[in-house]
């Protein structure tokens, strides 16, 4: 098992190096040089410019600059925001919990709904439920996520008034930030109604963000279940006189979930992409919104650092998914 | 031997149809047979003969779009067709068991062997985990698996083909079934293992006095192991009777052809004897007797009229001109 | 005693591959609907100048935020109403179709062609070239598509051309991987070996011998890639990184619509609806293609 883990870890490192190369290259593609950009409209004097160049190491050859960059990253220095002058990493860490909270809730929604729909569709194959689920799924991943958000806001916030339009918490509440996760922090605080407020703010964004993953999971679960239900060992289980419920839950599901787990892992990338759009619409103070704003403000260190951090997180999550796959599928564990 | 009220299993005019109502494909066409307690019934036929489908229909394992119909489907005194799903499931795996052709894919790869055997016991007999575990280990011992205490925690992919089939057998006999259906139990195994598995099956059958339905395309196997034999072709039974009689003097041209195609009968010749042509598929069923395009003795009558089962109960042939003792058709 | 047998058999004439594919395809009602819609919208896009009632950039100062024709306060001149500066939404949608389809075509074509070339190279050459190309693909794949596109556009500057470029790069690895996998499957087959022995050069082997047999999954991926291109292009437009105003790109129409969500629902609904329908049509067709080209995968 350990061997398996080490092997997978080994494959991650070159990918990480590659990503860092890419983000490094990206910045150097900006038309104009960094110092001019930093200088903004006023610009710098010749001396100041030379001073900055030396300080930022821009006078060194490019490959050397890369190694300086790499070294900085590994020490946790991802640059400083042009706009706020705060270290990119610390800004990221401040805003990250909000995105995590949103993403996790969206993922929970997607998994529970998607699995349920997929299983039901497979069991009642060819029936009305099956067709309905497939249609919902297809529509789900054909939809532009930002439009879906606007529609839901139109319906539930504007017309029905059930949910708020934006933000994480009603302005009238003041909650101490303990974990960064509003749901937990509101429970910990003694403000009445804060938790409910946090929950109602979370509902719509989570559903919007989770819609596409839900559609994909539903589809994948259905086809995986159908394939498994046609396998010989299901026939054996029936020949043993097992109840339908037991066959589906114990025998079929365990095997059907294996490819679905891989798909779920791949959804993380999709979730983070979607978070960018979702946070923008709901004014959710997470890294997605932060990134979009920094693009508008030409805050390049943030763009570069944010991209690197998100890519790293995705790589880590994929590694985790691989490991989980090994746990769930005994055949993979025992192979060389 | 003919069927009686004491018969273990009685099947009358079992049919399994696929396809549309106006254009059905009869995978099994009005098949009748019976199994007595403690006897071995061999069902012989090529692939496409409907032998496997018949057994699946018995077990209630045929799904839409297949349609199962029968005049009678009786197990001991129970009419299988009137049972509701729950009652049917109670018998399945308990009093009637089945093992399948490919043991490597017939076991769930995500659970240990022990888990799957114990499940069969749990569902039909109950008992504490300790009791079931002990029973499972004992079953593995009965089917000849060495070191059962450690094998019980193996996953199916860690077992060889022969071992897997033994596990399947253990699972099937876990609840002491009265009838065991074995659908091509050795076809997917190595030749050396085949004999071992058959020996095991027969030994268990004798010890427990189970009825055994042995489904296979292997004539030689059936000749040795079975008490009575039923020969199937293209979904129909073409000959039935005691094994010794059928092999000494087959009455149906198809049975004769099967016997002739055994390598032993071709000794001294250049080529294996074989019937020309192939088993009819869904779209090319001939009129009259289904064998007529390939039968060396076919007459005009065979091409138009479908023969019924001729002969005394217990020794029947579906042919107008059954072969006599010297192997020639009795045209008159 | 044999006479001429008169067994009844039905013999079917084998169909050509194209006819066989088509007969599978039309059995899928969804795919057929998708195809019809696509044809319809392509026609709209091609004949936009004639079909659209107004010019997409024309602002009618007296008709700002007019609701759809069938509602109260609507105007028959503007079937789907007008936006915040008085432009006819229907005309903008029609011209937007031309934009979206065109840029989608460019994106898919560029990434397909480049992806095929790189994939063929990787699968065929093997060794260091293969490893390098695959690493490159892996790196691109480890970053979420939209995020990557946003980053690239951020660097290059927002415009429709730059977002097209960015998206082409982002989709590239999928085609590389697909092609390479197909090549690796085919390369040891007899027909390739015999072509080699007959003296076929590398280029000929790659493009003429092997590639035609890898086309099926590529076609399916390209169709689905079209729908991704439309969605992602709209997303970039929504974020202000894609088509710049006053271009009537569907996504950027939604960006400007945000402020009217409480007052003018039609400005928000229709652009999104047409994106949905177009993407749905491509997805349905892609599914139909996949099922028809490989019946084994039929669900």
């Amino acid at each position: 098992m350990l061997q398996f883990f080490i092997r997978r870890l080994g494959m991650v490192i070159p990918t990480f190096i590659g990503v860092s190369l890419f983000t490094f290259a990206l910045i150097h593609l900006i038309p104009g040089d960094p110092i001019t950009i930093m200088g903004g409209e006023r610009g710098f004097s010749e001396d100041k410019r030379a001073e900055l160049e030396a300080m930022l190491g821009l006078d060194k050859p490019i490959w050397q600059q890369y190694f300086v960059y790499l070294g900085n990253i590994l020490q946790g220095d991802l640059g400083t925001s042009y706009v706020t002058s705060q270290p990119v990493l610390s800004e990221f860490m401040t805003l990250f919990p909000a995105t995590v909270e949103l993403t996790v809730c969206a993922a929970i929604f997607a998994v529970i709904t998607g699995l349920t729909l997929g299983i039901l569709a497979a069991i009642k194959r060819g029936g009305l439920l099956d067709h309905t689920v497939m249609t919902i799924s297809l529509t789900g991943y054909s939809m532009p996520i930002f439009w879906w958000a606007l529609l839901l806001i139109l319906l539930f916030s504007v017309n029905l008034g059930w949910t708020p339009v934006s933000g994480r918490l009603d302005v009238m509440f003041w909650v101490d930030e303990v974990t960064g996760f509003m749901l937990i922090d509101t429970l910990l605080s003694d403000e009445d109604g804060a938790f409910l407020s946090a929950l109602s703010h979370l509902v719509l964004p989570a559903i919007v963000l989770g819609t596409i993953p839900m559609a994909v999971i539903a589809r994948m679960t259905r086809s995986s279940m159908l394939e498994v239900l046609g396998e010989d060992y299901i026939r054996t289980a029936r020949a043993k006189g097992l109840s339908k419920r037991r066959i589906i839950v114990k025998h079929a599901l365990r095997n059907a979930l294996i490819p679905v787990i891989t798909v779920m892992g791949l959804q993380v990338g999709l979730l983070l992409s979607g978070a960018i759009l979702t946070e923008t619409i709901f004014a959710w103070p997470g890294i997605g919104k932060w990134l979009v704003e920094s693009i508008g403000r030409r805050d390049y260190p943030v763009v570069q650092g944010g991209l690197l951090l998100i890519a790293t997180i995705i790589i880590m999550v994929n590694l985790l998914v691989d490991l989980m796959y090994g746990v769930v599928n005994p055949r993979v564990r025992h192979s060389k | 031997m003919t069927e009686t009220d004491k018969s273990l299993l009685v099947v009358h005019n079992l049919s399994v149809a696929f396809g549309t109502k106006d254009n059905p494909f009869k995978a099994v066409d009005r098949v009748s047979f019976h199994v007595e307690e403690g006897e071995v019934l061999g069902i012989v036929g090529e692939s496409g003969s409907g032998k496997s489908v018949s057994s699946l229909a018995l077990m209630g394992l045929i799904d839409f779009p297949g349609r199962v119909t029968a005049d009678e489907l009786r197990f001991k005194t129970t009419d299988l067709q009137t049972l509701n799903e729950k009652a049917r499931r109670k018998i399945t795996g308990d009093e009637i068991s089945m093992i399948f052709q490919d043991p490597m894919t017939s076991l769930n790869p995500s659970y240990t062997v022990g888990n799957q055997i114990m499940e069969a016991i749990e569902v039909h007999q109950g008992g504490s985990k300790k009791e079931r575990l002990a029973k499972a280990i004992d079953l593995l011992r009965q089917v000849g698996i060495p070191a059962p205490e450690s094998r019980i925690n193996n996953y199916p992919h860690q077992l060889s083909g022969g071992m897997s089939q033994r596990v399947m057998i253990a699972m099937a006999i876990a609840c002491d079934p009265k009838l065991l259906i074995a659908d091509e139990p050795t076809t997917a195994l190595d030749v050396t293992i085949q004999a071992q598995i058959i020996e095991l099956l027969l030994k268990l059958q004798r010890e427990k006095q189970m009825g055994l339905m042995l489904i296979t395309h292997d004539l030689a196997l059936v000749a040795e192991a079975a008490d009575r034999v039923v020969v199937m072709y293209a979904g129909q039974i073409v000959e039935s009777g005691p094994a010794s009689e059928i092999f000494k003097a087959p009455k149906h041209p198809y049975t004769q052809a099967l016997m002739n195609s055994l390598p032993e009968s071709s000794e001294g010749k250049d080529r294996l004897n074989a019937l020309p042509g192939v088993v009819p598929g869904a779209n090319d069923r001939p009129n009259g007797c289904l064998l007529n395009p390939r039968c060396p003795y076919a007459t005009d009558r065979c091409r138009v009229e479908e023969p019924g089962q001729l002969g005394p109960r217990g020794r029947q042939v579906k042919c107008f001109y059954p072969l006599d003792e010297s192997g020639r058709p009795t045209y008159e | 005693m044999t006479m001429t047998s008169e067994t009844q058999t039905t013999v079917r004439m084998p169909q050509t591959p194209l006819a066989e594919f088509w007969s599978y395809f039309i059995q899928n009602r969804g795919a057929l609907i998708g195809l019809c819609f696509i044809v319809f919208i392509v026609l709209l896009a091609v004949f936009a100048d004639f079909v659209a009632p107004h010019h997409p950039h024309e602002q009618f100062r007296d008709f700002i935020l007019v609701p759809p024709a069938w509602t109260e306060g609507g105007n028959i001149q503007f079937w789907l109403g007008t936006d915040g500066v008085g432009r006819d939404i229907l005309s903008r949608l029609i011209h937007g179709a031309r934009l979206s389809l065109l840029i989608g075509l460019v994106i898919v074509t560029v990434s397909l062609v480049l992806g095929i070339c790189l994939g063929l190279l990787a699968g065929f050459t093997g060794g260091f070239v293969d490893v390098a190309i695959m690493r490159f693909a892996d790196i691109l794949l480890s970053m979420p598509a939209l995020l990557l596109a946003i980053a690239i556009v951020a660097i290059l500057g927002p415009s429709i051309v730059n977002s097209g470029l960015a998206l082409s790069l982002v989709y590239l690895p999928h085609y590389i991987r697909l092609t390479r996998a197909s090549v690796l499957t085919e390369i040891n087959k007899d027909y390739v070996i015999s072509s080699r022995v007959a003296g076929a050069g590398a280029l000929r082997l790659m493009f003429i011998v092997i590639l035609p047999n890898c086309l099926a999954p590529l076609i399916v991926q390209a169709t689905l890639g079209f729908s991704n291109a439309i969605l992602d292009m709209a997303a970039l437009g929504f974020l202000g990184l894609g088509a710049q105003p006053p271009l009537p790109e569907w996504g950027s129409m939604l960006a400007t619509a945000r402020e009217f969500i409480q007052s003018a629902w039609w400005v928000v609904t229709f652009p999104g609806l047409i994106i949905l329908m177009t993407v749905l049509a491509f997805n349905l067709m892609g599914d139909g293609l996949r099922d028809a080209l490989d019946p084994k995968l039929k669900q």
Side-chain angles (χ1 to χ4, degrees):
Chain A
M1 193 62 198
L2 190 63
Q3 242 188 349
F4 180 69
F5 177 65
I6 291 182
R7 244 185 312 135
R8 286 288 181 276
L9 196 62
M11 283 166 32
V12 157
I13 294 176
T15 314
F16 176 76
I17 305 260
V19 173
S20 68
L21 263 166
F22 186 84
T23 50
F24 178 76
L26 210 56
I27 287 304
H28 284 81
L29 285 172
I30 305 174
D33 64 284
I35 304 222
T36 315
I37 297 166
M38 266 174 74
E41 284 175 1
R42 278 177 294 123
F44 293 120
S45 63
E46 280 290 324
D47 297 330
K48 185 79 179 163
R49 170 176 277 271
E51 194 188 312
L52 280 171
E53 258 186 34
M55 196 175 77
L56 292 173
L58 289 171
D59 46 352
K60 298 207 194 76
I62 199 131
W63 54 269
Q64 225 179 342
Q65 285 186 43
Y66 170 68
F67 280 109
V68 170
Y69 173 68
L70 192 60
N72 286 340
I73 291 178
L74 293 173
Q75 288 172 46
D77 174 11
L78 278 101
T80 316
S81 161
Y82 286 163
V83 174
T84 65
S85 299
Q86 294 299 310
V88 169
L89 187 60
S90 74
E91 274 198 355
F92 184 88
M93 294 310 283
T94 317
L95 297 169
F96 193 49
T99 304
V100 169
E101 191 176 24
L102 177 60
T103 314
V104 166
C105 290
I108 292 177
F109 163 72
V111 168
I112 295 181
T113 320
L115 279 181
T116 314
L117 288 178
I119 294 174
L120 285 176
I123 300 177
K124 306 235 182 263
R125 182 201 183 150
L128 183 64
L129 187 63
D130 187 8
H131 285 298
T132 313
V133 168
M134 288 307 278
T135 310
I136 292 178
S137 163
L138 194 59
T139 314
Y141 69 74
S142 304
M143 225 169 0
I145 194 175
F146 42 96
W147 180 66
W148 181 226
L150 289 175
L151 268 188
L152 286 183
I153 292 179
L154 191 60
L155 184 60
F156 290 107
S157 303
V158 175
N159 282 345
L160 291 174
W162 287 356
T163 52
V165 176
S166 63
R168 289 180 88 185
L169 198 62
D170 277 337
V171 208
M172 63 189 197
F173 294 115
W174 179 256
V175 164
D176 286 329
E177 190 166 312
V178 176
T179 60
F181 298 116
M182 202 56 82
L183 287 180
I184 302 179
D185 289 345
T186 48
L187 281 175
L188 291 176
S189 82
D190 32 45
E191 297 245 13
D192 283 334
F195 178 72
L196 273 165
S197 170
L199 202 59
S200 71
H201 278 84
L202 199 48
V203 163
L204 230 45
I207 291 181
V208 165
L209 186 54
T211 300
I212 295 184
M214 174 205 74
V216 172
I217 290 176
R219 211 160 204 241
M220 187 76 214
T221 306
R222 177 188 178 274
S223 68
S224 182
M225 263 308 250
L226 283 179
E227 201 179 308
V228 163
L229 287 175
E231 294 278 355
D232 284 347
Y233 53 84
I234 297 294
R235 185 181 55 181
T236 307
R238 293 176 70 192
K240 271 157 76 171
L242 302 181
S243 71
K244 213 168 182 182
R245 191 147 150 268
R246 186 182 264 251
I247 293 180
I248 291 175
V249 172
K250 182 180 169 189
H251 287 265
L253 210 55
R254 181 78 186 271
N255 292 294
L257 282 183
I258 294 174
V260 178
I261 287 178
T262 328
V263 167
M264 290 205 280
L266 295 174
Q267 295 304 301
V268 176
L270 217 74
L271 277 171
L272 286 172
S273 284
I276 296 176
L277 294 165
T278 314
E279 287 180 13
T280 308
I281 296 188
F282 287 100
W284 190 267
I287 54 177
K289 181 159 159 288
W290 178 59
L291 243 130
V292 170
E293 284 171 350
S294 64
I295 290 175
R297 299 190 281 216
R298 301 275 184 277
D299 196 349
Y300 293 115
V302 170
V303 176
Q304 185 187 32
L307 185 61
L308 185 62
L309 282 165
I310 294 181
T312 311
I313 292 173
I314 293 178
I315 295 176
M316 289 297 159
V317 170
N318 284 339
L319 180 63
L320 228 86
V321 169
D322 266 349
L323 292 177
M324 247 180 47
Y325 190 80
V327 166
V328 162
N329 188 351
R331 279 179 287 196
V332 171
R333 239 189 288 162
H334 294 139
S335 65
K336 26 180 181 29
Chain B
M1 184 184 237
T2 60
E3 68 192 52
T4 63
D5 293 328
K6 298 250 184 53
S7 296
L8 189 58
L9 177 73
V10 174
V11 174
H12 248 157
N13 282 338
L14 171 68
S15 290
V16 181
F18 292 89
T20 59
K21 282 252 161 73
D22 3 294
N23 191 15
F25 165 58
K26 291 208 159 160
V28 176
D29 189 7
R30 289 161 294 155
V31 150
S32 304
F33 58 86
H34 63 105
V35 184
E36 302 300 317
E37 265 187 50
E39 85 162 342
V40 180
L41 175 71
I43 303 191
V44 185
E46 302 171 71
S47 23
S49 58
K51 52 193 199 304
S52 294
V53 179
S54 312
S55 56
L56 288 173
L58 280 185
M59 292 287 282
L61 293 176
I62 299 282
D63 294 323
F64 182 84
R67 292 180 297 278
V68 176
T69 48
D71 288 343
E72 192 178 5
L73 209 59
R74 177 163 57 94
F75 175 71
K76 291 201 290 188
T77 49
T78 319
D79 183 356
L80 291 177
Q81 293 188 291
T82 57
L83 286 182
N84 68 18
E85 211 190 297
K86 198 161 169 205
R88 190 80 186 262
R89 266 191 280 126
K90 225 158 149 241
I91 306 184
T92 315
D94 188 7
E95 300 195 68
I96 313 182
S97 279
M98 188 161 176
I99 62 176
F100 300 95
Q101 179 171 332
D102 191 349
M104 301 293 271
T105 55
S106 296
L107 289 169
N108 193 324
S110 296
Y111 294 100
T112 62
V113 150
N115 182 307
Q116 297 185 52
I117 298 180
M118 280 161 60
E119 184 182 34
I121 305 173
E122 177 192 344
V123 164
H124 294 290
Q125 295 179 342
S128 73
K129 187 152 181 213
K130 231 164 124 199
E131 289 166 358
R132 286 182 280 133
L133 182 62
K135 183 132 194 237
I137 295 181
D138 180 55
L139 282 166
L140 286 183
R141 198 171 290 123
Q142 280 184 47
V143 296
I145 293 186
E149 296 86 359
S150 56
R151 284 291 182 186
I152 199 120
N153 290 321
N154 278 155
Y155 285 93
H157 67 270
Q158 293 174 296
L159 301 174
S160 68
M163 291 274 216
S164 303
Q165 194 61 298
R166 288 178 196 266
V167 167
M168 286 287 290
I169 296 175
M171 220 159 60
I173 60 170
C175 304
D176 283 315
K178 289 274 171 299
L179 176 66
L180 176 62
I181 306 178
D183 187 2
E184 305 254 27
T186 54
T187 308
L189 303 173
D190 286 338
V191 174
T192 43
I193 309 290
Q194 285 181 8
Q196 290 176 17
I197 297 294
I198 293 297
E199 229 183 85
L200 172 64
L201 273 176
L202 292 176
K203 166 169 158 278
L204 290 170
Q205 185 263 336
R206 271 191 310 269
E207 279 172 16
K208 299 177 186 288
Q209 277 300 293
M210 291 186 299
L212 176 63
M213 264 173 68
L214 190 54
I215 303 172
T216 177
H217 61 270
D218 187 347
L219 254 191
L221 170 60
V222 152
E224 278 186 37
D227 297 319
R228 280 184 311 114
V229 171
V230 150
V231 181
M232 284 185 73
Y233 180 76
Q236 299 175 338
I237 293 187
V238 295
E239 186 166 3
S240 53
S244 47
E245 284 183 36
I246 292 203
F247 291 110
K248 222 171 32 176
K251 288 199 172 156
H252 195 279
Y254 180 65
T255 319
Q256 184 192 56
L258 279 181
M259 302 273 301
N260 285 343
S261 68
L262 286 176
E264 294 85 57
S265 352
S266 302
E267 275 172 32
K269 305 207 184 126
D270 290 326
R271 313 161 80 198
L272 286 177
N273 297 323
L275 266 186
V278 289
V279 178
N283 295 322
D284 44 3
R285 295 254 146 140
N287 292 329
C289 171
L290 287 180
L291 189 63
N292 83 60
R294 307 170 70 187
C295 180
Y297 315 120
T299 68
D300 288 337
R301 187 182 182 200
C302 304
R303 294 186 244 283
V304 185
E305 219 181 301
E306 188 186 333
Q309 299 279 359
L310 299 177
R313 312 260 313 265
R315 185 75 180 92
Q316 300 201 306
V317 198
K318 192 177 165 94
C319 182
F320 295 123
Y321 315 110
L323 306 175
D324 61 23
E325 257 139 44
S326 51
R328 286 194 300 264
T330 51
Y331 282 122
E332 199 14 83
Chain C
M1 253 187 73
T2 43
M3 311 224 313
T4 46
S5 55
E6 282 176 5
T7 46
Q8 258 183 14
T9 48
T10 37
V11 177
R12 273 187 297 206
M13 286 298 289
Q15 297 171 297
T16 66
L18 192 62
E20 189 182 345
F21 156 77
W22 183 247
S23 73
Y24 272 123
F25 187 77
I26 48 178
Q27 276 177 33
N28 186 336
R29 259 196 339 236
L32 218 51
I33 295 177
L35 183 60
C36 292
F37 186 81
I38 291 176
V39 168
F40 167 68
I41 217 169
V42 166
L43 288 174
L44 271 188
V46 168
F47 296 110
D49 296 319
F50 304 107
V51 177
H54 302 282
H55 191 276
H57 300 168
E58 188 176 351
Q59 299 177 6
F60 296 90
R61 297 300 161 102
D62 297 328
F63 293 104
I64 293 189
L65 287 181
V66 173
W70 62 86
T71 61
E72 190 187 313
N75 191 320
I76 199 77
Q77 275 190 311
F78 311 109
W79 279 17
L80 296 179
T82 61
D83 67 2
V85 288
R87 293 176 291 204
D88 177 34
I89 289 183
L90 181 62
S91 307
R92 300 203 87 213
L93 288 183
I94 294 177
H95 281 269
R98 178 185 273 185
L99 252 176
S100 295
L101 288 178
L102 207 60
I103 194 92
L105 189 64
V106 168
I107 292 174
V108 169
T109 310
V110 168
S111 49
L112 186 66
V113 168
L114 225 66
I116 289 180
C117 291
L118 286 175
L120 282 175
L121 196 63
F124 206 75
T125 320
F128 178 69
V129 171
D130 183 14
V131 171
I133 293 181
M134 286 315 282
R135 275 280 148 247
F136 171 66
D138 280 339
I139 293 170
L140 284 178
L141 283 173
S142 70
M143 294 178 274
L146 191 62
L147 184 56
L148 192 53
I150 290 178
I152 297 176
V153 174
I155 303 299
L156 296 177
S159 80
I160 199 169
V161 170
N162 287 344
S163 23
L165 231 68
L167 287 176
S168 305
L169 183 63
V170 162
Y171 297 149
L172 191 57
H174 296 282
Y175 298 107
I176 297 180
R177 275 209 162 163
L178 216 54
T179 314
R180 176 181 177 271
S182 297
V183 168
L184 288 180
T185 320
E186 300 292 312
I187 204 162
N188 289 319
K189 294 201 177 161
D190 289 338
Y191 73 90
V192 174
I193 297 180
S194 56
S195 286
R196 244 199 189 129
V197 166
L203 275 178
R204 185 186 181 83
L205 273 176
M206 281 200 285
F207 286 98
I208 299 184
V209 177
I210 295 183
L211 183 58
N213 293 297
C214 309
L215 279 181
L218 283 171
I219 293 177
V220 174
Q221 180 73 15
T223 313
L224 297 174
F226 218 104
S227 50
N228 284 333
I230 295 179
L231 276 176
D232 287 337
M233 198 60 211
L236 287 175
F238 179 74
L239 290 172
L241 297 171
Q244 297 300 298
L247 283 180
E249 195 266 321
W250 293 335
S252 52
M253 282 171 76
L254 278 172
T256 49
R258 257 179 92 191
E259 46 185 301
F260 302 114
I261 193 169
Q262 294 182 324
S263 49
W265 59 268
W266 57 93
V267 186
V268 170
T269 315
F270 295 125
L273 201 59
I274 195 141
I275 297 178
L276 173 59
M277 294 197 301
T278 311
V279 172
L280 202 56
F282 273 102
N283 280 338
L284 281 171
M285 202 173 83
D287 275 353
L289 279 174
R290 187 205 292 132
D291 288 343
L293 287 172
D294 188 359
K296 280 183 294 184
L297 293 177
K298 260 203 166 111
Q299 293 180 345

